[in-house]
Amino acid sequence: MTGIPARPALFLVALSVLTSACGLSAELDREADPARTASRARPAASPPAADVPPTPPFEIPDSLCPTTGLRASTSMVTAAMGLRAMTVTLTNCSRADRRLEGYPDVRVRGADRKPMPVTVLKGPGPITTLEDPGPHPVPLKPGESAYSVFVWRYSAVDAATLDGSGVYVEIAPAAGVPRQTVEPDGGLDIGDTGLLGTTAWQKTAD
C-alpha cells in the first residue's frame, strides 16, 4: 500500500484541540467575567490543620477496574480536513504500581463485531509527521495515567461508513495482555485507507 502524504499543518490544528482544551476553557472564563475569575483565583484561608480531614487513598471500585489494573478511555475524535486524531488513555486504577513500555496492542472491529481490515502502525508515519517518543519505560503509580495518540485519514468507501459510527476499538497495554473495548466518540472513519497510526505510551502530565 502506498504511503499517504503527511499534512503537518492540519495535524497541528487537530492536536492543539486535543492538548489545550483546559487552557482554552480557563481563558474563556476570564474573558467572560474577569472580576469573578480574579476573586476565585485568590486562595481561601486554610482551616486549622486539626480540621483538615486526611486525604483518602486513590481507589476505584474493583467492579470498574479491569484485571490488568489499567482502565482505558478515549478523547473525542478531532478532525482537520482529512486527518483524524484522538488520544487513548490508560489509568492505573489498581492499588499497585504498574509499568508500560512500547505501543498499544490494537484491533478494530465493525458494528457486527467482525475484525476490520485495518493495519495498525507502530508510529504515526506515513499518516502524519507527529513526533513519536518511541518505546521507553512509563511507571504508573495508582491514579496516574499514560496516553497514546491515534491518527488516521478519512476515506469512506460508501455511505454506510461515512461517519465511522458503530466501530469498536480493542485496546491492550501491550501484546498478549487482555484488551478492553471502547467506541470512539466521533467514530473511526478509516474507510478504505486501512491505516491507523499510534504513538508509544507516554506519561500524562500532572
Side-chain angles (χ1 to χ4, degrees):
M1 181 177 293
T2 58
I4 301 172
R7 302 181 187 173
L10 296 180
F11 182 78
L12 289 176
V13 175
L15 190 59
S16 67
V17 176
L18 289 173
T19 58
S20 63
C22 293
L24 179 59
S25 177
E27 186 172 344
L28 291 174
D29 282 348
R30 289 195 297 271
E31 291 288 337
D33 192 343
R36 178 173 62 84
T37 305
S39 174
R40 185 173 56 192
R42 289 195 295 270
S46 299
D51 296 336
V52 179
T55 302
F58 174 84
E59 187 171 328
I60 289 178
D62 291 340
S63 60
L64 300 179
C65 190
T67 56
T68 59
L70 297 164
R71 183 166 49 91
S73 60
T74 62
S75 71
M76 178 177 288
V77 174
T78 300
M81 299 296 288
L83 184 61
R84 305 287 194 261
M86 73 175 181
T87 55
V88 174
T89 301
L90 288 183
T91 300
N92 182 357
C93 55
S94 73
R95 299 178 180 88
D97 292 353
R98 303 287 173 173
R99 182 177 180 272
L100 299 176
E101 185 168 1
Y103 296 85
D105 181 57
V106 181
R107 181 165 53 191
V108 181
R109 293 182 180 273
D112 56 3
R113 298 304 178 104
K114 293 182 179 179
M116 292 179 62
V118 173
T119 300
V120 180
L121 306 172
K122 293 183 177 180
I127 298 168
T128 180
T129 56
L130 170 68
E131 184 177 353
D132 179 15
H136 62 284
V138 182
L140 296 177
K141 294 183 178 300
E144 293 184 332
S145 301
Y147 71 95
S148 171
V149 180
F150 285 24
V151 292
W152 66 96
R153 290 194 178 274
Y154 165 80
S155 179
V157 294
D158 54 44
T161 61
L162 185 61
D163 61 0
S165 60
V167 173
Y168 300 88
V169 182
E170 297 178 348
I171 301 165
V177 179
R179 298 185 182 98
Q180 298 172 61
T181 300
V182 296
E183 184 176 6
D185 186 359
L188 196 71
D189 51 1
I190 293 178
D192 60 354
T193 63
L195 295 177
L196 176 65
T198 65
T199 64
W201 294 114
Q202 52 192 307
K203 190 76 168 284
T204 301
D206 294 332

